[in-house]
Amino acid sequence: MSILYLALVSFFAWIISTLAGGGSPFVMIPLVNLMLGAEAVPPVITIGMFLGNSHRILLFWRFIDWKLTLWYFPGAIAGAFLGAYTFTQIHLEWLQLLIGVFLVISVIGFALESPKQKEPQTTESTKSSELGELKKTRFKLQAWHIMPASFLKAFVSGLIGTTGPVLNPFYLRYGLVKEELIATKATHVVIIHTVKIFTYGLLGALNTQEIYAGLAIGLAAIPANFVGKYLLERISSQLFRQFVLTSMIISGLYMFWEQRGFLSLG
């Protein structure tokens, strides 16, 4: 029954994450922690995210930004291996505080430069114009900038299980929206989690119960991804951006809450 409950919660979490550019781990982490304990969170979430995002790659294949992915690959491989290895030696959950601060500050930055809202229009030309405006930011990032960012994300992900939408500010400033962001991010996530699963298994940090729990999370993502894709096609690029920013602020605040004990000691 616990596995079925985990799968049901995962189903709805994956739908939300499709519309918000991520965030499903923050729905699953408290439940996995309650069911299996804190030590099981990184490997369980890793297996679930690997399966769910692999399916997303198939659904959104034509939207993947391969140039960005090629720059992402080297840093992610090195960071994921080092982070997963370090997880077996030491735990640094307080790193979530730094990620939380980064996400909140990023949302504030985007809010300060957000363009003025326009009246909704429905023609193809106005949709293209809206998409073009969303791809423009005051601080434009280049593809190669993601290499050091991917290393840090992968390293911290290996330590604490997930970093949430920590790279969403990068994707937005690079110019990815809607299906492009979902597809490219899913590809990047799979790269990291492939290395992490291999490293966890090599170092004996996986057991049968954790594998079953991870499979429940990942397999529930398959029908959820279809539902999420259907809904994503029917919302505007501007609304998607707002969902992404909302997901970032909620994730940042969640990380603060998770580390409230550390903050009180400080």
Side-chain angles (χ1 to χ4, degrees), residues 112-127:
L112 292 176
E113 67 176 48
S114 292
K116 293 182 179 179
Q117 297 292 324
K118 299 180 180 179
E119 292 297 320
Q121 302 183 24
T122 57
T123 66
E124 289 301 319
S125 61
T126 53
K127 286 181 180 179

Side-chain angles (χ1 to χ4, degrees), residues 51-66:
L51 292 174
N53 282 287
S54 295
H55 183 249
R56 275 185 179 168
I57 291 174
L58 297 177
L59 284 182
F60 295 97
W61 178 265
R62 66 190 181 94
F63 295 101
I64 298 172
D65 188 309
W66 290 108

Side-chain angles (χ1 to χ4, degrees), residues 5-7 9-11 13-14 23-33 45 49 217:
Y5 181 62
L6 190 64
V9 174
S10 176
F11 172 80
W14 280 99
S24 59
F26 294 112
V27 178
M28 304 311 305
I29 285 174
L31 188 56
V32 173
N33 185 33
I45 295 298
M49 294 303 104
I217 292 173

Side-chain angles (χ1 to χ4, degrees), residues 158-191:
L159 283 176
I160 62 178
T162 182
T163 57
V166 70
L167 283 189
N168 279 2
F170 182 98
Y171 295 132
L172 291 175
R173 292 197 179 278
Y174 179 71
L176 300 183
V177 294
K178 289 189 70 178
E179 289 88 353
E180 294 174 349
L181 190 152
I182 296 297
T184 306
K185 182 177 180 179
T187 306
H188 296 176
V189 168
V190 166
I191 292 172

Side-chain angles (χ1 to χ4, degrees), residues 89-134:
Q89 310 299 317
I90 188 173
H91 301 287
L92 299 173
E93 289 84 357
W94 56 265
L95 284 172
Q96 287 190 7
L97 287 175
L98 299 181
I99 300 172
V101 170
F102 171 74
L103 289 173
V104 172
I105 292 176
S106 295
V107 171
I108 294 172
F110 278 108
L112 292 176
E113 67 176 48
S114 292
K116 293 182 179 179
Q117 297 292 324
K118 299 180 180 179
E119 292 297 320
Q121 302 183 24
T122 57
T123 66
E124 289 301 319
S125 61
T126 53
K127 286 181 180 179
S128 298
S129 176
E130 177 197 48
L131 190 60
E133 285 299 316
L134 287 174

Side-chain angles (χ1 to χ4, degrees), residues 216-229:
I217 292 173
L219 294 177
I222 295 176
N225 284 337
F226 282 112
V227 175
K229 184 175 185 290

